[in-house]
Amino acid sequence: MESIRIFFAGDFCSKPSTALISVSEDLKALLRDCDLRIVNFEIPLMPEPALENVPFYQNDDAPAFLDELGFNLFSMANNHAFDCGDAGFLKTVEALGHRTFGSGTYDEAYRLKIVEVKGVKLGFMALSYAANQGVFDDVRHRGKLGCAYINDLRVNHDIMAAKKEVDFLFILPHDGIEYIDVPLPETIARYRDFINYGADAVIGTHPHCPQGWETYKGKRIFYSLGNFFFNSKETPDFKADKPHWYEGLCAICTIQDGQLTFETIDTLNSENRSISIDDNEGRQNHNNQICNYLQDSESYNRYLDAAIQKLALCQELPIVGRFKFRQPVIVRAKALLRRCLLKMKGQAPDDRNSLLMLLKNDARRSTLIQALKK
């Protein structure tokens, strides 16, 4: 049997023109050597007429840039897919063609994406956590457009049914906690669920940094590939201060004689202007350390507890503090006025750092609970 190679990349976003981005020749060669190339198209295109006060959108030339690199499947189940409303989502889907999966109407979002390569049926499902908008975590939203929700009760049944339709099934969840380089226990349990119900591999995104991988019941789980390339600012000169933000992890799956094998490629975003293979030994050592944590519960718990305390102190606990300690009336009045103005313009308020979003986001809620226990 002729081998099949699938290239999995992490999150992609470029607000400045992608004409500013160069890609190394050795990385291009790896992409050309694969039959399928999959990336998470994290941020939508801006519709026309343009919306006001929308912080996240991609340059219109992003789809063509990814096309040129050979990407031919695009996960669209993520927390930013509807940042530009239905119009931005529809423009994005039109630009990417029929190669997207994980979003659309309720039935479309959960529909298995089947691609036949060299006589082998490959299935792909993309899922997202309960984001601030555009995810089918609220049953009242099902008559609209949205993304497949990772914890919908149908997901496990869909995986079992999908496995009967394809030779190999890949689950691409967009979940977990951002900015820490190990997955939460809840994330590990959920991704292992996918294997238990029939998935042949799980390849995660969303935390914006690689989070290691493990082999569970003979099947590979990548908890986060991190950013393939991510610049959501107006200029390439902006520097993100998050650890491992510019470090990507790509996974290449080879299917040969009914077996799946994986190799990993470290990539580097340099100055928001180039993507290249990173052979730095320190990266490889860090990957190995994270993977070792996943096999050693004592070391994992110690490392995770320290990461959660640091993250919660900066991000989660202050949100609770705003409600525990009453804000001045003028501050609350300004916030209410801004929300009303946005709604009058038909725009969704940015609730990502609200108490509501903290509580409905499973991963962030778990982080807060773990922090409060200490």
Side-chain angles (χ1 to χ4, degrees), residues 14-18 41 44-48 57-65 91 95:
S14 183
K15 196 171 192 177
S17 172
T18 54
F41 200 85
L45 306 179
M46 177 64 76
E48 297 176 4
Y57 61 90
Q58 293 211 53
N59 195 290
D60 280 355
D61 61 15
F65 172 79
K91 178 181 176 179

Side-chain angles (χ1 to χ4, degrees), residues 320-328:
V320 180
R322 293 204 298 268
F323 289 84
K324 182 177 180 182
F325 306 104
R326 293 181 62 83
Q327 295 173 307

